[in-house]
Amino acid sequence: MQLKTFKQFILSLFAFFTVFSINVLKVKAAIITPPIKAKGAIVIDEKTGQILASKNADKRYPIASISKLLIAYLVEKRIKENKISLNTKVKVPSGIVAISQETTITNVPLSVTRSYTIKELLEDALLPSGNGAAIALGAAITGSVSKTETAMEKLLSSWNIKGVKIYSPAGLTNGEMGTYKDKSASNDAENKLSAKELAEVSRHLMLDFPSIRKITDKSSAVVSSTSGSSYTIENTNQLLKNIKSPYKFTGIKTGSAESIGGNFIGETRIKGQKVITVVLGSGSMSDESTRFIQTVSMLSQLNKASSIKKIAKSEGSAKLIAAAGKNGKVKTINSYRYSLFVPKKKTSLVYSSIKVKKNISYPLSKGKMIGYDEVKTSSNLANDFLYGKYLSVKVDSNERVKETNFIVRAWRQLFFSKSFQIN
């Protein structure tokens, strides 16, 4: 074999096996399965997406007015794109006004004779859960009710929530949509998502558009009536003003339907960490308390069963042998501070080695991304995080590393393991 051919062979072998290895923290899957009165429930860490409590969280149920969170996201997205503002005025079509004035469903009545600001409609939709306001918002930003429903489906699909049919921007049943109903579907058809999917929707909304809390954490707001006079609307979220609760909530939405009963999504803190709670099918449609009682009960159970493991920016850094690096190793640093919930009764933490990235180019500059620290699950039966079995945390080089010569690289690859971790 000629030297050039042999060199190419060794370099290709090197490229195939060049990996980094790093210690990662393994944690249990959902810390508790809460014995609460609800069809489905979940609690997640808002920052990491770690699943902390889970009960029947993958089954889809009617979500009713919680659908309005998708409208809020679409509106906030348009605001961010400078296509509208909170002060943009909207005229409401007569068909939507008719829905808003239907007294058999939760509503804030609207009028065809006046204009409403985007802010007014958002407050109407998110606080007392005005159906006409939510539908009007969707139509204002997409052009029609049917286009709004399509936009909501596409938004869910972009988050890998597939196969969802939206029958109402407000969360009404298909039959309650009046002239806008889907004639190919039954009157009972309604929007359905799982507790886990709703946790993901809520996490996107609260992280992508934190200013939405200026509305969701209001216990009330002053708006204008159909005649233009002012009156006060109340938030249906009872936990915003429950001073006896040990948890301070900053939102986010209730929902009720005959088919499911009471639903609630909340945002609060446990052990200093923001969490999102979802409770589906708790109590009856007319029951104003059970969903909130069960939410607090679930949080208290989780609080008692868990503790916090803080991972500082420098923690998790490791000295890794870099096969092409001149000194044979590179110091790394996580670019992300985070904390993990761990079961209180199982304080011992298990670590394992994983691969993070191949084909690193040299010289490697300080601060260069070299892969991901993957916080993996300890169970093959359930996911620890909303997006799968691990949390990916970006890892950077914490020093400049020069490339070594060909002979040293070939020696390392031929005579050492393809995993190059050292402690």
Side-chain angles (χ1 to χ4, degrees):
M1 182 181 292
Q2 296 180 353
L3 179 61
K4 183 177 181 181
T5 304
F6 177 73
K7 181 176 180 179
Q8 289 174 338
F9 169 74
I10 295 298
L11 285 174
S12 64
L13 190 66
F14 161 71
F16 179 78
F17 284 115
T18 300
V19 294
F20 289 87
S21 184
I22 193 166
N23 283 333
V24 296
L25 172 66
K26 277 190 175 181
V27 295
K28 188 182 177 183
I31 292 172
I32 64 168
T33 302
I36 62 171
K37 296 177 182 178
K39 289 181 171 64
I42 199 170
V43 181
I44 66 161
D45 183 299
E46 186 176 291
K47 184 174 184 179
T48 65
Q50 183 187 2
I51 298 174
L52 310 176
S54 177
K55 177 184 177 181
N56 202 19
D58 292 305
K59 185 174 180 178
R60 287 177 175 171
Y61 293 103
I63 62 173
S65 286
I66 288 175
S67 305
K68 295 177 175 76
L69 294 181
L70 292 168
I71 294 295
Y73 191 96
L74 291 171
V75 169
E76 291 290 342
K77 186 171 181 289
R78 287 298 182 98
I79 292 174
K80 185 177 181 180
E81 294 167 348
N82 294 318
K83 294 180 179 179
I84 59 172
S85 74
L86 287 175
N87 295 320
T88 298
K89 290 192 174 182
V90 173
K91 293 285 286 185
V92 183
S94 59
I96 298 176
V97 168
I99 292 175
S100 79
Q101 295 180 357
E102 174 56 59
T103 58
T104 61
I105 52 181
T106 303
N107 259 319
V108 175
L110 303 175
S111 171
V112 293
T113 62
R114 57 157 299 199
S115 297
Y116 298 84
T117 66
I118 294 294
K119 181 182 178 183
E120 281 182 293
L121 292 175
L122 272 175
E123 289 177 339
D124 285 347
L126 295 179
L127 274 63
S129 207
N131 295 308
I135 300 170
L137 279 169
I141 62 174
T142 67
S144 72
V145 175
S146 62
K147 287 180 180 179
T148 301
E149 292 164 353
T150 300
M152 294 167 73
E153 292 167 359
K154 287 182 177 179
L155 179 62
L156 290 168
S157 183
S158 72
W159 297 330
N160 205 32
I161 301 175
K162 307 290 187 180
V164 178
K165 173 62 178 173
I166 298 296
Y167 296 97
S168 165
L172 299 172
T173 65
N174 184 46
E176 291 169 333
M177 284 297 292
T179 58
Y180 302 107
K181 79 173 185 178
D182 183 346
K183 293 180 175 59
S184 66
S186 70
N187 285 342
D188 294 335
E190 51 191 324
N191 307 340
K192 293 182 179 181
L193 286 170
S194 69
K196 184 177 179 181
E197 289 166 339
L198 286 173
E200 186 167 347
V201 168
S202 305
R203 182 171 182 252
H204 276 289
L205 178 61
M206 306 312 276
L207 291 181
D208 293 351
F209 303 111
S211 62
I212 196 68
R213 294 183 183 89
K214 293 178 181 178
I215 295 177
T216 62
D217 68 358
K218 285 185 175 183
S219 59
S220 64
V222 177
V223 297
S224 299
S225 68
T226 54
S227 63
S229 60
S230 298
Y231 73 105
T232 301
I233 55 175
E234 301 289 335
N235 197 321
T236 53
N237 179 0
Q238 293 183 2
L239 291 176
L240 289 176
K241 47 193 174 184
N242 186 348
I243 59 175
K244 294 182 180 180
S245 171
Y247 309 102
K248 176 177 172 53
F249 281 78
T250 51
I252 52 179
K253 191 72 188 73
T254 63
S256 300
E258 292 286 353
S259 58
I260 185 69
N263 298 334
F264 174 61
I265 298 180
E267 181 191 58
T268 187
R269 287 181 183 270
I270 292 184
K271 303 181 186 299
Q273 298 291 110
K274 277 186 181 176
V275 298
I276 290 173
T277 69
V278 180
V279 169
L280 298 178
S282 183
S284 65
M285 183 176 176
S286 60
D287 184 344
E288 296 295 332
S289 301
T290 300
R291 53 188 154 179
F292 305 116
I293 294 170
Q294 297 305 306
T295 296
V296 172
S297 173
M298 180 168 61
L299 289 170
S300 297
Q301 294 168 42
L302 175 62
N303 200 23
K304 184 177 180 180
S306 65
S307 58
I308 284 287
K309 169 67 177 176
K310 292 185 178 180
I311 310 296
K313 184 174 181 179
S314 58
E315 189 173 345
S317 298
K319 292 181 179 179
L320 309 173
I321 291 181
K326 188 169 185 179
N327 296 324
K329 60 187 178 182
V330 56
K331 294 179 181 179
T332 66
I333 186 167
N334 292 336
S335 60
Y336 187 71
R337 290 182 176 90
Y338 60 96
S339 295
L340 295 174
F341 285 81
V342 294
K344 188 171 286 185
K345 293 183 179 179
K346 296 184 178 181
T347 55
S348 59
L349 302 176
V350 181
Y351 291 82
S352 70
S353 177
I354 66 167
K355 304 171 185 177
V356 290
K357 192 175 181 182
K358 298 180 180 181
N359 302 328
I360 302 296
S361 59
Y362 292 88
L364 182 65
S365 58
K366 184 175 181 180
K368 180 77 172 178
M369 196 274 281
I370 62 171
Y372 292 91
D373 183 355
E374 295 179 345
V375 185
K376 282 192 170 181
T377 69
S378 57
S379 169
N380 293 323
L381 302 178
N383 293 339
D384 279 341
F385 299 90
L386 283 179
Y387 297 103
K389 290 181 178 290
Y390 58 84
L391 169 69
S392 290
V393 179
K394 190 165 72 74
V395 174
D396 299 329
S397 170
N398 204 25
E399 61 182 348
R400 188 175 188 277
V401 181
K402 295 182 179 179
E403 186 176 30
T404 190
N405 62 59
F406 163 73
I407 296 176
V408 173
R409 296 200 307 271
W411 177 267
R412 288 176 184 164
Q413 291 297 340
L414 288 175
F415 295 99
F416 292 90
S417 165
K418 65 181 181 181
S419 178
F420 297 99
Q421 179 183 341
I422 58 173
N423 294 322

